[in-house]
Amino acid sequence: MAIAAIPHDAHGEVDQLYVETRELRLQGFLLFLISDCVLFSSFIFAYLYLRNTGQGWPPPGIARLDVAFAAWNSVVLFGSGATMHYALENWKHGNFMKYMWMLIATIILGAMFLGGQGYEYHHLIFDEKVTWAGSGIFGASFFTLTGMHGFHVFMGVCYLTVLLLQTAAGTYTYQKYFGITAGTLYWHFVDVIWVVLFSIFYLL
Amino acid sequence: MSVAAAHSGGIADHIHPEPQGFVRRYVFSIDHKIIGIQYLITGFVFMMLAGLLAETIRTQLLNASGGFVSPDTYNEVYSVHGSAMVWLVIIPIATGGFGNLVFPLMIGARDVAFPWLNMLSFWIFPVSGLMLFSSFLMGAPAAGWTEYPPVSLQGAPGTTMWCAAIFLVGVSSTLTGINFLVTILKMRAPGMTFTRMPLFVWGQFATAPLLMIATTALAAALAALFMERVFGVPFYDPTKGGSPVLWQHMFWFYSHPAVYIMILPLFGIISEVLPTFSRKPIFGYKLIAFSSMAIALLGFMVWAHHMFTSGLAPFLQVLFMVMTFTIAVPTGVKIFSWIATLWGGKIHYSTAMLFALGFLALFTFGGITGVFLAAVPTDLDLHGTYFVVGHFHYVLVGGSLMGVFAGMYYWFAKMSGRLLNETLGKVHFWLFFVGFNMTFLPMHWLGFMGMPRWVATYDPQFQFWNRFESVGSYIMTLGILCFFINVIYSIRAGKKAGPNPWNARTLEWQIPSPPNYYNFKHIPTVYGLPYDFSQPLPYTGLEDELTDSPPAQLTGAHH
Ligand SMILES: [Cu+2]
């Protein structure tokens, strides 16, 4: 019954303005994600370029990253992608309670991923003495790229929390569904970026 | 319930409430026409400042031994001159200025897709401009507008300000690109198919993705430079494993497409002005439209032609050389189409037309000298000489800026309701055209003779031509002063333009000058291309536009 999601105005008619505005916003948001993707791609290019023009890789004196831990953390993030997907599906079908639970699960998993990343940073900086500015191009690329990604996850968690609170308070209603669609797109985008980052930093 | 059964009231019919009060109307306006004018005014103010820097450069070079400013100041002056002209003058005027002002009218829309975002884009622009010029207070950037590391890593604190300012104006460009792209994709009037869009709209349509994608790549390069300067994070410093050549790759990956950001919208202006003043359909409409897209696409694959002297592998040099040559094909297609448009036309030599013809001549010349620089063997000789300076000023001043003036003389009537004075306009054109060629033509042979760019003093054998150039630049400046006087005079006392002073056929000329805040009383339907001068206009629904009746949405009808 996805059709029920088309919002109606006070007269019970289709609110054409909202439908079209939503379409525009989604398209604009998609283009924003493309630019954002270029931002990541540029830094990824920089990393690969520096890595291939430097004196051997990994640079001497830099400890190996903990692949197993990062792999578990990735599973957490991908799990949140799945719950986000079901949150949107349930919203479309009008299952509010399920939608709320799925959104809560996404927020918790996202926060767990951030916690894991914080732990990893802590370990690298204090145990391995690998830092952003003091460990050559490895530290520069690793912390810049994963930091940018972590910032995106953080923004996503904040955004979804606001969405959750708004839904709970009844201000984000069934009639409006740009926010949840954009949030889902964004969350999947952040997932995909992580796949790339995980491959180039931990596997390559 | 089907959508057709619903009452109309979609976005195309929607009219924002009329803005009340000076601030909402002229300062924080969400009206694309006002925002366009704001962009133009701000851009021209920055042009005066950057022009002042240009005259500082030319005055310094009057004498082989310099002496007007210190060599260190000279470095700052040309660095800020270049940065300001590219990012604060040409790009904002060509996209945010003329784009906002004209293309939503041309596609029969009431505004851009995201009016509030548009306002944000605009307001970022003057702020970043002031940031850039404020860098003089703390030691301005001094490594040229390209700010190559490692020199830029060691530059004065103003270099950090430069990074932040260019980053911000880039954010503004990116938002504008997104806004324009969605507007063109989604908000065209009924019947305005892609192959019926005016060529100016095609120009903006080809530019918008460049604004979105290339500018973001520059943002990454700038962010990395900022991080390295402020926090010491090594990206470019070779002593810490970084690579200065990385900056060159990232910078030119943006800055070659940026050349097209600075020229495709002006191609669009030329493609409107030429048919209007030769009373002939544009020749090869589809060729011009699609070659813009081809140029935009190819523009991403040629950046390393700026790096032939940076230790690029020989096979890459050849690859980038050949790729660059291929861009000459779509560009040549355009030039031939424009000449064919003029061929046998009844040419009306208005000031706008003079600038368009000047554009055609000077841009073609700049394109040809570009081939010298794209060819590896000649570039190795000419790289870093005045030949390069001559070349890109022919493209960016003889091309882009001439296009900007053509657009001003053409659309000033639409934005203000009054015509710019034609006599003053012609004085402007001839002073500018003669002064321009005097300034930049000798640079080509100075380059061949080996005069390096970016120097505060030079070998006395070059003195004659440098003085000649400086005199030319003063003449050019006089021309530009004529323009500013013309604008100020014509706003108050110019001839009333009426809706369509040029008998032009695109949609913006079918409504009053200046247009009402809602643009169209009734969204028109489009049946064909706007360039067929022998035929009736290909629009319906425009009957009420020039009457006093308000639009149906505002008469209290059901909404
Ligand atoms: Cu180039």
Side-chain angles (χ1 to χ4, degrees):
Chain A
M1 267 292 288
I3 190 73
I6 292 177
H8 292 57
D9 66 10
H11 310 290
E13 292 174 22
V14 173
D15 184 350
Q16 192 63 18
L17 182 61
Y18 182 77
V19 171
E20 289 181 18
T21 308
R22 170 182 180 275
E23 216 174 289
L24 289 183
R25 286 186 187 169
L26 269 181
Q27 194 152 31
F29 190 71
L30 215 60
L31 293 177
F32 162 74
L33 288 183
I34 292 175
S35 322
D36 205 12
C37 183
V38 175
L39 193 66
F40 274 106
S41 311
S42 304
F43 275 106
I44 289 168
F45 167 80
Y47 161 66
L48 295 174
Y49 181 88
L50 291 173
R51 186 178 155 145
N52 284 314
T53 48
Q55 304 86 9
W57 197 267
I62 301 284
R64 297 281 307 161
L65 290 165
D66 189 344
V67 181
F69 179 81
W72 280 112
N73 212 18
S74 310
V75 171
V76 171
L77 189 66
F78 299 147
S80 77
T83 54
M84 189 71 229
H85 172 77
Y86 285 114
L88 178 66
E89 284 303 306
N90 281 306
W91 174 270
K92 278 188 190 162
H93 292 85
N95 303 325
F96 279 106
M97 282 322 281
K98 277 190 187 164
Y99 152 78
M100 296 278 269
W101 282 118
M102 282 298 166
L103 202 55
I104 291 171
T106 311
I107 293 168
I108 292 175
L109 288 170
M112 275 172 68
F113 173 82
L114 284 177
Q117 210 179 16
Y119 171 80
E120 195 185 7
Y121 275 20
H122 187 274
H123 171 72
L124 276 175
I125 294 167
F126 293 102
D127 301 341
E128 309 284 355
K129 309 288 180 218
V130 178
T131 58
W132 189 31
S135 301
I137 53 178
F138 175 79
S141 319
F142 178 80
F143 285 108
T144 304
L145 269 165
T146 57
M148 270 165 64
H149 177 265
F151 178 72
H152 276 71
V153 177
F154 175 73
M155 292 304 287
V157 167
C158 292
Y159 177 73
L160 294 180
T161 308
V162 170
L163 205 62
L164 181 73
L165 295 176
Q166 282 184 337
T167 325
T171 47
Y172 187 71
T173 63
Y174 197 40
Q175 265 68 31
K176 300 176 180 171
Y177 57 116
F178 167 71
I180 178 73
T181 325
T184 310
L185 267 174
Y186 178 83
W187 202 257
H188 290 330
F189 168 76
V190 170
D191 269 6
V192 171
I193 294 289
W194 182 251
V195 174
V196 178
L197 294 190
F198 183 76
S199 318
I200 60 171
F201 280 114
Y202 295 90
L203 304 179
L204 198 68
Chain B
M1 188 196 305
S2 76
V3 172
H7 70 85
S8 68
I11 204 139
D13 282 331
H14 180 69
I15 293 180
H16 297 300
E18 184 174 9
Q20 300 296 333
F22 183 81
V23 171
R24 286 300 311 282
R25 226 179 258 187
Y26 299 114
V27 185
F28 296 107
S29 171
I30 56 168
D31 182 340
H32 70 96
K33 303 179 289 298
I34 299 294
I35 294 177
I37 293 171
Q38 288 177 319
Y39 263 106
L40 290 177
I41 293 174
T42 318
F44 281 119
V45 168
F46 287 138
M47 191 174 105
M48 283 195 255
L49 293 175
L52 219 58
L53 297 176
E55 288 310 345
T56 310
I57 296 171
R58 283 313 332 161
T59 306
Q60 167 82 0
L61 297 179
L62 272 171
N63 291 310
S65 53
F68 183 60
V69 290
S70 73
D72 287 331
T73 310
Y74 182 78
N75 292 347
E76 297 180 354
V77 167
Y78 68 70
S79 303
V80 176
H81 160 74
S83 308
M85 283 297 190
V86 168
W87 286 298
L88 304 180
V89 180
I90 305 281
I91 293 178
I93 287 181
T95 58
F98 284 112
N100 265 312
L101 189 68
V102 183
F103 95 80
L105 297 171
M106 279 185 159
I107 61 173
R110 289 217 159 105
D111 208 326
V112 294
F114 311 112
W116 289 93
L117 192 68
N118 206 14
M119 180 177 89
L120 178 70
S121 295
F122 168 72
W123 277 105
I124 294 173
F125 161 48
V127 170
S128 46
L130 291 179
M131 282 167 66
L132 176 62
F133 281 103
S134 77
S135 68
F136 274 113
L137 303 176
M138 57 194 93
W145 79 285
T146 55
E147 288 298 315
Y148 277 10
V151 182
S152 56
L153 290 175
Q154 297 151 356
T159 313
T160 309
M161 191 52 116
W162 176 89
C163 278
I166 307 303
F167 184 93
L168 270 184
V169 78
V171 170
S172 156
S173 286
T174 306
L175 297 179
T176 302
I178 292 174
N179 212 342
F180 284 9
L181 206 51
V182 176
T183 309
I184 296 173
L185 286 172
K186 289 279 176 185
M187 309 207 25
R188 282 165 289 128
M192 176 70 80
T193 57
F194 272 94
T195 47
R196 287 177 189 164
M197 286 195 317
L199 285 165
F200 179 77
V201 184
W202 270 102
Q204 294 290 336
F205 184 61
T207 310
L210 299 180
L211 284 175
M212 250 179 63
I213 292 169
T215 312
T216 321
L218 177 72
L222 290 166
L225 186 61
F226 186 90
M227 289 188 273
E228 181 147 4
R229 284 183 54 91
V230 177
F231 304 109
V233 183
F235 285 101
Y236 305 124
D237 185 349
T239 63
K240 295 181 188 156
S243 162
V245 181
L246 171 66
W247 166 267
Q248 298 183 21
H249 277 295
M250 292 171 82
F251 182 84
W252 289 114
F253 183 77
Y254 159 78
S255 285
H256 190 81
V259 171
Y260 301 118
I261 294 174
M262 291 186 272
I263 204 73
L264 290 174
L266 291 317
F267 283 172
I269 293 179
I270 300 308
S271 306
E272 300 301 332
V273 172
L274 289 182
T276 301
F277 292 107
S278 46
R279 312 310 297 165
K280 262 186 70 194
I282 188 104
F283 180 90
Y285 167 84
K286 281 189 184 166
L287 285 176
I288 295 181
F290 296 153
S291 63
S292 288
M293 302 307 281
I295 289 173
L297 198 69
L298 286 171
F300 277 113
M301 299 179 229
V302 300
W303 76 91
H305 61 212
H306 296 273
M307 299 166 59
F308 290 152
T309 58
S310 305
L312 211 60
F315 84 96
L316 282 176
Q317 294 189 354
V318 173
L319 184 74
F320 278 103
M321 173 171 80
V322 173
M323 285 306 292
T324 308
F325 287 164
T326 60
I327 294 194
V329 177
T331 314
V333 163
K334 275 187 194 304
I335 290 170
F336 284 120
S337 302
W338 288 326
I339 293 172
T341 305
L342 294 170
W343 199 274
K346 232 196 252 148
I347 295 176
H348 173 57
Y349 291 98
S350 66
T351 309
M353 185 64 163
L354 284 179
F355 274 104
L357 295 172
F359 171 100
L360 211 53
L362 301 180
F363 176 78
T364 307
F365 185 83
I368 291 168
T369 55
V371 178
F372 287 61
L373 296 172
V376 180
T378 38
D379 182 63
L380 292 181
D381 189 36
L382 294 170
H383 189 93
T385 69
Y386 258 86
F387 187 91
V388 179
V389 183
H391 155 69
F392 69 69
H393 280 92
Y394 264 80
V395 178
L396 294 181
V397 183
S400 305
L401 199 55
M402 288 288 240
V404 166
F405 287 132
M408 283 302 293
Y409 282 94
Y410 188 58
W411 280 307
F412 187 83
K414 186 47 62 180
M415 61 176 119
S416 72
R418 288 174 190 272
L419 291 161
L420 279 173
N421 183 288
E422 284 285 305
T423 314
L424 254 176
K426 278 166 190 162
V427 174
H428 167 201
F429 172 78
W430 286 111
L431 286 174
F432 187 78
F433 187 83
V434 171
F436 170 83
N437 284 299
M438 281 176 69
T439 312
F440 295 107
L441 195 62
M443 288 186 184
H444 294 90
W445 52 85
L446 284 176
F448 269 115
M449 288 155 76
M451 180 175 170
R453 64 194 283 209
W454 289 335
V455 287
T457 57
Y458 53 87
D459 194 297
Q461 59 161 320
F462 304 132
Q463 178 147 310
F464 172 77
W465 286 114
N466 271 283
R467 286 197 171 167
F468 185 83
E469 287 171 0
S470 297
V471 171
S473 79
Y474 301 141
I475 296 175
M476 194 161 74
T477 303
L478 276 182
I480 292 178
L481 282 180
C482 284
F483 169 73
F484 287 124
I485 293 169
N486 199 347
V487 168
I488 293 165
Y489 166 79
S490 301
I491 281 181
R492 291 147 181 259
K495 215 165 76 184
K496 285 255 196 286
N500 192 359
W502 316 121
N503 264 319
R505 298 171 58 89
T506 38
L507 272 169
E508 83 274 23
W509 297 108
Q510 315 312 324
I511 55 176
S513 313
N516 292 307
Y517 69 93
Y518 43 76
N519 293 357
F520 297 92
K521 287 177 186 163
H522 180 263
I523 301 297
T525 304
V526 180
Y527 294 95
L529 271 176
Y531 300 111
D532 215 345
F533 287 87
S534 57
Q535 299 295 317
L537 286 173
Y539 314 113
T540 56
L542 290 168
E543 298 78 16
D544 289 338
E545 293 301 338
L546 300 178
T547 64
D548 287 336
S549 64
Q553 280 90 336
L554 300 180
T555 52
H558 169 70
H559 180 54

